[in-house]
Amino acid sequence: MTHPPLTRAPHQPKPALSFLPGLSLTLGRVHEICGNARWRMALWVAAASDGPVFWIRPGWGGGRLHMDAVARLMPPGNLVFVTAKRPDDILWSMEEILRSGAVSTCVAELPEIPALTPIRRLHLAAETGGATAARSPLGVILTPSGGGAPGVESRWNMDADTPNWHLSRTRARMAPEAHWRIPPDLKPQPYRSQALEAV
């Protein structure tokens, strides 16, 4: 068995999408957002993305995004909605979108926690899409309750905590658990001059 040789070259971080000050999501991977304000964080990610964002949602029950609120964060025309008729269609659609490499970000609202195999397929699809596009696509799944999808690159919990938002990174391959209090007037762009309060 051969091992890769050691090198003195500095570690190169993987490309990532910065969505709030000091917070980013690794491209070419799938990330999970849960909590009662998961749609808000997903919109912050969408607002920070380049180009159109595909948003897949179930066609049965549930609410829809309030477009007046979306317009305060990003041009609503950057969102392309896909409505799935069956639960299996959500993950299948996301896989095909990520594999195509045609869009920078794909968000999927899931009615239940997916198994490990579909998550692995989504990671592979994002890697394939990145090989044919200028940059690797980003996959974001929105899961109910406290989440818990196995195999995701990172898991974030976003809750409304009046008057602030409360954001927690509860799992990540390359970062520790952390918690932040986010002021209600924080805007995704330009946000780089603002600072988040860690808790």
Side-chain angles (χ1 to χ4, degrees), residues 13-104:
K14 294 182 178 180
L17 174 71
S18 178
F19 64 95
L20 285 178
L23 303 181
S24 60
L25 299 176
T26 303
L27 297 177
R29 305 295 289 170
V30 177
H31 304 265
E32 178 184 17
I33 306 173
C34 55
N36 62 24
R38 56 189 176 271
W39 297 275
R40 172 62 71 156
M41 180 176 165
L43 283 173
W44 286 338
V45 172
S49 300
D50 295 328
V53 174
F54 274 50
W55 192 294
I56 309 167
R57 62 173 305 276
W60 60 96
R64 296 178 184 252
L65 292 177
H66 190 274
M67 296 314 288
D68 286 342
V70 171
R72 293 188 203 113
L73 298 173
M74 63 182 293
N78 285 1
L79 285 177
V80 178
F81 292 99
V82 177
T83 302
K85 293 182 178 178
R86 300 176 303 136
D88 291 344
D89 292 342
I90 299 174
L91 291 171
W92 178 85
S93 298
M94 186 175 199
E95 186 178 334
E96 293 300 312
I97 290 167
L98 292 174
R99 184 177 290 113
S100 74
V103 297
S104 60

Side-chain angles (χ1 to χ4, degrees), residues 102-136:
V103 297
S104 60
T105 303
C106 181
V107 177
E109 297 181 30
L110 301 181
E112 57 188 27
I113 307 298
L116 178 59
T117 299
I119 296 297
R120 285 181 173 166
R121 291 178 62 91
L122 293 174
H123 285 309
L124 290 173
E127 291 173 12
T128 302
T132 60
R135 67 164 234 184
S136 297

